[in-house]
Structure formats: C-alpha cells, structure tokens
Amino acid sequence: FLSLIAEFCCGFFVILILGNFWFLAVLYLLWLYLDWETPCAGGRRSQWVRSWTVWKYFREYFPIHLIKTSELNPNHNYLLGFHPHGVLVAGAFGNFCTDPTFKNLFPGLTPYLHIMPIWFGCPFFREYIMSAGMVSASKESVSYVLNNEGGGHASIIVIGGAEESLNAHPGSLTLNILKRKGFIKMALKHGAHLVPVFSFGENELFKQVANPKGSWLRNVQEKLQKIMGFALPLFHARGVFQYSFGLIPYRQPIHTVVGSPIPVKQNLNPTTEEIDQLHTLYLQKLKKLFEEHKSNYGIPEHKSLIFE
C-alpha cells in the first residue's frame, strides 16, 4: 500500500523534472535538503490529514479495532512493541496514524509510528507519511520521541521489521524477536515503559507464495532484504469485483490488543545482563497477552507464539 503511493509520488517528481516544471523540482530538492532531519525530530503531523474521512472507511473495510486492556498514564513516555509485521501492517497504520481511535482510548498520549528511514527519501511521499504521524525508526528519532519531558509520547515500533513480513502467512504465529533487543536498550536509556501489542488478524490479509526457510525463494528474499533494507514478499489476495486473485487485502477483522505497561527505570548505561533480563520479561508479557486473548479471535487453544 505504502509502496504504491511512494511509486506514484516518485513518478510525479520525475514528471516535474522532465516536463516544463523542472524549477518546481529544484525548489522541492532545496526544501528536501533543508528539511532532511525533520523525520528524526518528531516529524510534522497534521490533524487534518489524520482525520480524513477515507481513514474511517479504511478502518471499517476489515474492520480494524483497538482493544485497551490497561490504562496508560500520560505522565510517562511509552515504547509500544507491535507484533506481528504482516504484509500491510494495517493494524499499526489504522490505529496509530488515523484519528480518533487512539486518542479516545488513551487521552493525553501522542502516538508516533516509527518506520524505515528509506521511506523519507521519497519526494512528496515523505510529507504525506509525516503528516500521518510517522517518523524515522532511527535511534535518533526514537530518542527524540522518548526524551519528551513530562511524558505523553508513545513510540510504536514494529519489532519484527521487514524480515518478519516474509513469515506473514495466514495462521503464522512466528515472530522475529529473539535477537532484536535494541528497543529494550532504548526503553532503558530513556526510562520509557514497555507495552507489548499484538494485532490478531494481521497475517490473514494476504496469501503469500510458499517460501519456507532454506528454499531458493526465501534465500533470494533474504539477500535482497539485506541489500535494500526492506523485504519483498510475493503476495496476493482479492480483486475489486472478484475474490479469486488481486492485490486488495481480504476483509478479515483485525483486533490490535494493547497490553499492560512494564515499568522501566531509567538506566543510561544498561549492561548486557540488564538488557537480556528486561527482554526476557517482555517476551513473557507478550506471550501472556497472546494467550489471554487468542480464544477471543479464533486462535486454536493448542497454538502458541513462536519466537525466532
């Protein structure tokens, strides 16, 4: 979804350069140079863009729901770990980049969805994603958000990243998280409370070409992901007027469950042992959140999360 919009924006920029409006392209490049650090400094959100009527229909299409299980005191800053990545990350976008769902459930908190820095190099597209409340996933960007004195900021990080999208098959419960501890270190350094978030239904929106680990397709995808920084899952779903094939996601409900916060005391120089200890606790809380709610959203009792 984001890729299609990004391609359109890049295409429009190329038209400006090749057409009679090259001077507008030059002016925009100057603006891009002067504004380059904004995605790492809280972005530039627009309440008007976040409140577009189209997002209401976007959320209702699946539909997308945000479930609150605990209060989040706006006097603190929070780091929300979002799972799983899926193909579209629809739950993260629908709940944290559009209004009014999140602010109604968690008044006083401002959500920032962190995405790959590469997206902010795309002309015009960067303006759109920043207006929706998306910022860079760089360390500098996360630090900027979590360093807000007085609290009230919530960083949302899709922990599994692009690599996890390659596991986004219907029914898959595999999360890439065992080696991902950078978010734990950031939470400790800023004293941000950790909150596990599991989005039930995220992996059901598309069917993906079989790519088991060790297969030639998976090997190619993983190599490309390391080179380009983002993954290329081969997926399909439904069409506009038929359900057999297309790129429009299936209408499957998404229930994004926000867990209880894990209190974190600020530690500017956490040791490896302290990071590992908090990481283990986070995994326990994430698994508990999943187990407590899986029966509500059609997950068989015998199925559990798989951490890789």
Side-chain angles (χ1 to χ4, degrees), residues 35-285:
D35 193 57
W36 190 255
E37 296 300 325
T38 301
C40 294
R44 187 171 46 248
R45 70 180 53 226
S46 166
Q47 197 62 40
W48 175 66
V49 172
R50 290 174 58 89
S51 301
W52 281 352
T53 303
V54 67
W55 303 136
K56 174 178 178 290
Y57 294 113
F58 174 81
R59 293 191 300 268
E60 292 177 350
Y61 171 81
F62 299 96
I64 296 175
H65 305 280
L66 187 65
I67 291 85
K68 174 182 178 179
T69 64
S70 178
E71 294 292 339
L72 297 183
N73 190 331
N75 292 327
H76 299 295
N77 292 317
Y78 297 88
L79 194 159
L80 280 63
F82 184 92
H83 313 270
H85 184 287
V87 171
L88 189 63
V89 206
F93 177 81
N95 286 311
F96 305 122
C97 295
T98 70
D99 285 333
T101 307
F102 184 85
K103 70 177 183 180
N104 286 347
L105 288 179
F106 301 101
L109 283 182
T110 302
Y112 295 83
L113 179 60
H114 296 270
I115 64 175
M116 292 186 298
I118 189 173
W119 292 115
F120 296 97
C122 180
F124 300 116
F125 180 67
R126 69 189 296 274
E127 318 305 333
Y128 158 69
I129 56 179
M130 278 197 290
S131 65
M134 287 179 255
V135 292
S136 173
S138 66
K139 292 180 180 179
E140 295 79 10
S141 178
V142 177
S143 292
Y144 184 93
V145 173
L146 296 182
N147 202 36
N148 187 50
E149 293 186 9
H153 281 188
S155 280
I156 298 96
I157 301 178
V158 184
I159 305 300
E163 182 182 358
E164 194 173 85
S165 67
L166 300 178
N167 292 327
H169 296 271
S172 174
L173 295 172
T174 301
L175 304 181
N176 292 62
I177 192 172
L178 291 182
K179 295 181 180 179
R180 296 178 181 264
K181 301 178 182 180
F183 73 105
I184 298 292
K185 186 175 182 179
M186 293 301 292
L188 282 166
K189 292 184 71 172
H190 295 280
H193 295 194
L194 279 168
V195 182
V197 178
F198 195 87
S199 195
F200 292 90
E202 200 74 45
N203 283 340
E204 317 304 316
L205 306 184
F206 296 93
K207 292 180 180 178
Q208 190 172 167
V209 175
N211 60 341
K213 288 198 172 184
S215 66
W216 69 270
L217 176 58
R218 186 60 169 258
N219 290 335
V220 170
Q221 289 175 320
E222 289 177 346
K223 288 180 181 178
L224 289 175
Q225 190 265 325
K226 290 179 181 179
I227 295 172
M228 300 184 297
F230 57 90
L232 293 173
L234 299 179
F235 60 89
H236 67 88
R238 55 162 291 185
V240 179
F241 301 110
Q242 44 78 27
Y243 291 83
S244 57
F245 188 83
L247 295 179
I248 297 177
Y250 293 115
R251 297 191 70 177
Q252 296 289 339
I254 298 172
H255 295 87
T256 303
V257 184
V258 181
S260 301
I262 303 170
V264 177
K265 186 177 180 180
Q266 187 174 27
N267 184 346
L268 296 178
N269 296 293
T271 64
T272 301
E273 290 74 20
E274 290 169 329
I275 293 173
D276 288 342
Q277 184 178 13
L278 184 55
H279 186 260
T280 299
L281 177 60
Y282 179 85
L283 294 182
Q284 293 172 352
K285 294 295 185 180

